[in-house]
Amino acid sequence: MTTDKEVVRNYFNTVGFDRWRRIYADESVKVNKVQLDIRTGHQQTVDYVLQWFKKDGNYSQISVCDAGCGVGSLSLPLAAAGAKVFASDISKQMIAEAKERATDPENPVFTVSDLESLSGKYDTVICLDVLIHYPIEQAESMIKHLASMAKSRLILSFAPKNTYYSLLKKVGELFPGPSKTTRAYLHAESDIKRLLADNGFQVKRKELTCTQFYFSRLLEGVRN
């Protein structure tokens, strides 16, 4: 039986790579209406995180692990602002693209890895738009592992579970189009908050991104 992790790895190394590379590209790369909507939503989530860092004003003093970095949408601006960034992704294609986009060969440091294989200690650990690919049982173990690496802060995003979003998922509107090959899991916010609390974190800040085809709850957990 094929696992969710294998599905995700295969998808983002094959047909999904080109689709999402285009979505995560800048405005000069033309995409269809749905892809443009997802691009806008994803960028809003990234911008929320960058705003949090800017408000804290300590870029140059912290280390960051961006787990599931994709093509570097968050890792690259964090590194450019002065943070020391370690970025990983399960897809070797995504990492190769991220390296191509990087201007500094030493920061971020990129590696191909699944979440459970990551190691080290970082001031902040971030995991955006990854938990949607895994059921709550796997998300629980992933969050536990990510929490073990975070010295002071853990930032997560997930697709929130409610009646409206559950309906969208059922009718196939979450990831529309012929490239839809990954399963999508919605998570109750109460479950994610509980998992953060179980691992020693309390929610300090949160944001919600909602576009037509992209929706994401962003939580910042800080150590108690």
Side-chain angles (χ1 to χ4, degrees):
M1 177 178 170
T2 303
T3 66
D4 289 282
K5 185 186 298 185
E6 291 169 333
V7 170
V8 172
R9 179 185 289 111
N10 292 337
Y11 175 65
F12 284 103
N13 275 326
T14 54
V15 62
F17 168 66
D18 183 64
R19 178 178 186 238
W20 289 95
R21 176 180 58 176
R22 291 177 59 81
I23 289 174
Y24 293 153
D26 60 38
E27 295 179 358
S28 65
V29 177
K30 300 301 181 182
V31 292
N32 63 40
K33 183 178 179 180
V34 172
Q35 292 172 327
L36 179 59
D37 181 86
I38 297 172
R39 174 191 288 174
T40 300
H42 173 75
Q43 187 59 50
Q44 286 179 13
T45 297
V46 169
D47 288 343
Y48 283 137
V49 176
L50 293 174
Q51 288 167 16
W52 288 348
F53 274 84
K54 185 176 181 179
K55 288 179 180 179
D56 294 340
N58 60 347
Y59 280 109
S60 62
Q61 301 167 9
I62 60 174
S63 59
V64 178
C65 175
D66 185 6
C69 67
V71 297
S73 303
L74 178 61
S75 294
L76 296 178
L78 283 177
K84 180 59 179 177
V85 182
F86 178 87
S88 69
D89 199 273
I90 196 172
S91 166
K92 62 181 180 181
Q93 294 279 54
M94 288 290 188
I95 289 297
E97 178 71 14
K99 288 181 177 180
E100 284 289 325
R101 298 184 182 192
T103 56
D104 184 341
E106 297 183 354
N107 189 30
V109 174
F110 290 106
T111 187
V112 179
S113 176
D114 58 54
L115 296 186
E116 294 91 338
S117 299
L118 295 174
S119 61
K121 293 289 185 179
Y122 308 88
D123 296 309
T124 297
V125 175
I126 305 172
C127 185
L128 301 185
D129 293 351
V130 173
L131 298 180
I132 192 172
H133 300 296
Y134 300 96
I136 191 63
E137 297 79 12
Q138 286 181 263
E140 181 173 359
S141 63
M142 289 175 172
I143 291 172
K144 181 178 181 179
H145 182 65
L146 293 173
S148 72
M149 300 191 300
K151 295 179 183 178
S152 60
R153 179 166 58 172
L154 176 58
I155 298 175
L156 304 172
S157 77
F158 58 95
K161 186 177 183 179
N162 59 36
T163 302
Y164 176 67
Y165 293 148
S166 295
L167 178 61
L168 285 182
K169 177 179 180 293
K170 287 181 180 179
V171 298
E173 293 180 5
L174 181 58
F175 288 109
S179 296
K180 175 187 171 185
T181 61
T182 58
R183 291 181 283 266
Y185 295 94
L186 310 184
H187 300 302
E189 184 171 338
S190 59
D191 285 339
I192 304 302
K193 286 183 175 179
R194 172 182 56 81
L195 292 172
L196 285 170
D198 288 347
N199 288 282
F201 291 83
Q202 61 179 343
V203 175
K204 178 182 177 183
R205 292 181 283 204
K206 65 180 183 178
E207 291 288 354
L208 180 64
T209 302
C210 297
T211 63
Q212 188 174 1
F213 298 104
Y214 177 98
F215 45 95
S216 177
R217 170 62 82 186
L218 184 67
L219 299 179
E220 176 195 48
V222 295
R223 280 209 176 272
N224 296 322

